[in-house]
Amino acid sequence: MKGKRVLLRCDLNVPLSKDGSGNTLITDDGRIRASIPTIQFLLDSGSSIVICAHLGRPKGERNAELSLRPVAQRLSEILKREVRFAENVTSTETQSLANDLKAGEILLLENIRFEAAETSKDENDRKALATKLAVLADFYVGDGFGAVHRKHASVYELAKALPHAIGKLVAAEVSVLQKLTLNPARPYTVVLGGAKVSDKIGVITNLLNKVDRIAIGGGMVFTFLKAKGYEVGKSLLEMESIETVNSILSQAKDLGVEILLPTDVVVAPIFADQSPSIVSIGEIPADQIGLDIGPESAKMFAAAIESSATVFWNGPMGVFEFSNFAEGTRKVAEALTRVNGLSVVGGGDSAAAVRKLGFKDSDFGYISTGGGASLEYLEGKELPGLIALQ
Ligand code: ADP
Ligand code: MG
């Protein structure tokens, strides 16, 4: 590796917020820290590194709000060395920045998703971008676990365009996921929440023949409640998924899989950290939004979790960013820390939530950096980013 240049795909997709004066803050740097072991290994081996990563969903357009610049700064603080930054991924200037790197030097490329080709459905677009990126390095190392389920240029085509290796984070993630899939100790409970309703509803069908119980909270639960005939007021709702949900519920019944739904929820009149009230699921007011599972439900979920030997959790139970709606997530996290067996928390926001609520990484069996990626692995899907590295 000495004197070689490595293009390292990392997952640096960290949650951001703004301070009072409008500066961007990194709310949870877990994914940056999780990338350090591979970066350090490469530096110790005498190579230079070009890091490629994405942030959010800029949809192929430059967007100052989603620049990786603040990430370069944090990375530099953690590594205690300079991290250079390339504004434009494919420019000749970036090529010379890469060429000039000496052993132990790091260049971070701007958000790769500013390039429309990164996520293009057209394989030729992606290949063209991969070819431009490939000239920046001698080797490719895939360590962006949170993106391995995406057939994107920097995840799939680029890995194939250069001699490649699997990064330490991806290897660690996969070894935990193997424990969750090859003969997991039972009862096996999966807890799902969060905001990406349609992404996650699809997942459940595929998990039904693998687990004993699925507990559902977060934004997606209102589509379930609606399917069961409850009114959900102004809560997140996906009418087009109602049919899927009904079929999930009947399949679960046939397979003997328990689906745990909340019996009470915390609602508020507006999407803000104020005026919470607890109502039973039969009494959600038409003009209110469900923002957390209620205390009775949290207790029920906790009991199911604590009596399990294997638990995988993805997606906060409520809008934990608001302290009035964080209690469901806290109770579920607490229950996971008491599991006598393997407990895994997955997902960028879920990991941020448990840290924000004051839990330590060591309270859990493993905190995965991937939400969607972990779920797709558990479903038994083939992940493009892993296939390319095989
Ligand atoms: P992860 O990143 O862990 O995979 P998601 O991105 O799917 O999780 O979801 C996280 C987001 O879900 C959080 O920002 C949280 O505020 C939001 N969320 C949770 N419950 C609700 C709800 N009832 N209504 C709206 N948003 C919710
Ligand atoms: Mg998220």
Side-chain angles (χ1 to χ4, degrees), residues 31 193-197 200 217-222 235-236 271 289-292 314-321 329 346-351 370-372 375:
R31 282 177 164 166
K196 298 172 207 156
V197 184
K200 295 189 184 178
M220 90 175 106
V221 82
F222 299 99
S235 311
L236 270 187
F271 191 85
I289 317 168
L291 295 176
D292 194 11
N314 168 247
M317 293 293 100
V319 183
F320 72 92
E321 294 91 336
T329 302
D349 291 294
S350 307
L375 285 171

Side-chain angles (χ1 to χ4, degrees), residues 352-372:
V354 298
R355 294 190 187 113
K356 181 178 182 229
L357 293 170
F359 294 91
K360 295 190 298 288
D361 288 23
S362 58
D363 290 336
F364 307 94
Y366 188 72
I367 300 191
S368 169
T369 55

Side-chain angles (χ1 to χ4, degrees), residues 163-180:
H164 51 253
I166 190 165
K168 288 177 177 291
L169 175 63
V170 170
E173 294 273 4
V174 168
S175 94
V176 171
L177 287 166
Q178 278 172 346
K179 284 188 204 153
L180 288 172

Side-chain angles (χ1 to χ4, degrees), residues 130-335:
T131 307
K132 288 183 202 159
L133 289 167
V135 303
L136 299 177
D138 305 299
F139 299 123
Y140 175 90
V141 172
D143 210 24
F145 180 71
V148 290
H149 59 315
R150 306 289 186 200
K151 203 169 195 174
H152 290 168
S154 69
V155 177
Y156 185 73
E157 281 79 14
L158 180 57
K160 299 191 128 192
L162 285 170
H164 51 253
I166 190 165
K168 288 177 177 291
L169 175 63
V170 170
E173 294 273 4
V174 168
S175 94
V176 171
L177 287 166
Q178 278 172 346
K179 284 188 204 153
L180 288 172
T181 36
L182 305 170
N183 263 321
R186 294 187 182 271
Y188 182 0
T189 300
V190 167
V191 184
L192 292 175
K196 298 172 207 156
V197 184
S198 45
D199 286 13
K200 295 189 184 178
I201 285 177
V203 161
I204 302 176
T205 318
N206 291 308
L207 287 175
L208 281 178
N209 52 12
K210 303 190 172 68
V211 304
D212 302 301
R213 300 193 273 245
I214 303 179
I216 300 169
M220 90 175 106
V221 82
F222 299 99
T223 304
F224 277 79
L225 295 177
K226 182 78 179 177
K228 296 197 94 177
Y230 296 102
E231 287 311 321
V232 298
K234 292 197 291 177
S235 311
L236 270 187
L237 174 63
E238 239 175 56
M239 281 311 283
E240 62 280 14
S241 298
I242 294 281
E243 228 172 282
T244 317
V245 166
N246 277 320
S247 106
I248 287 170
L249 291 171
S250 74
Q251 280 180 58
K253 208 170 194 180
D254 295 345
L255 292 164
V257 174
E258 217 182 321
I259 303 273
L260 296 174
L261 297 175
T263 50
D264 57 349
V265 289
V266 188
V267 298
I270 53 167
F271 191 85
D273 196 3
Q274 58 190 61
S275 324
S277 46
I278 299 162
V279 297
S280 87
I281 51 168
E283 288 159 2
I284 301 175
D287 58 352
Q288 303 233 350
I289 317 168
L291 295 176
D292 194 11
I293 59 172
E296 188 183 280
S297 314
K299 226 176 182 171
M300 167 179 67
F301 284 14
I305 292 165
E306 285 172 41
S307 62
S308 299
T310 307
V311 181
F312 176 82
W313 171 32
N314 168 247
M317 293 293 100
V319 183
F320 72 92
E321 294 91 336
F322 299 152
S323 57
N324 281 308
F325 308 98
E327 215 42 42
T329 302
R330 183 196 304 282
K331 285 282 172 336
V332 161
E334 250 163 36

Side-chain angles (χ1 to χ4, degrees), residues 105-124:
E105 292 184 338
I106 303 173
L107 174 68
L108 174 64
L109 304 179
E110 180 57 289
N111 192 343
I112 189 67
R113 289 196 189 164
F114 288 176
E115 303 288 326
E118 166 70 358
T119 57
S120 171
K121 297 249 181 304
D122 186 341
E123 191 185 339
N124 294 321

Side-chain angles (χ1 to χ4, degrees), residues 13-70:
N13 188 22
V14 287
L16 301 174
S17 59
K18 294 259 183 224
D19 70 6
S21 28
N23 299 314
T24 302
L25 297 176
I26 295 171
T27 347
D28 176 47
D29 64 3
R31 282 177 164 166
I32 303 176
R33 286 186 286 112
S35 304
I36 300 298
T38 302
I39 296 173
Q40 197 60 57
F41 175 85
L42 292 172
L43 294 174
D44 293 346
S45 72
S47 36
S48 58
I49 314 175
V50 177
I51 301 178
C52 171
H54 74 277
L55 189 62
R57 297 184 174 186
K59 307 227 162 86
E61 277 168 36
R62 200 159 267 280
N63 175 346
E65 304 272 295
L66 293 175
S67 171
L68 277 171
R69 235 181 224 291

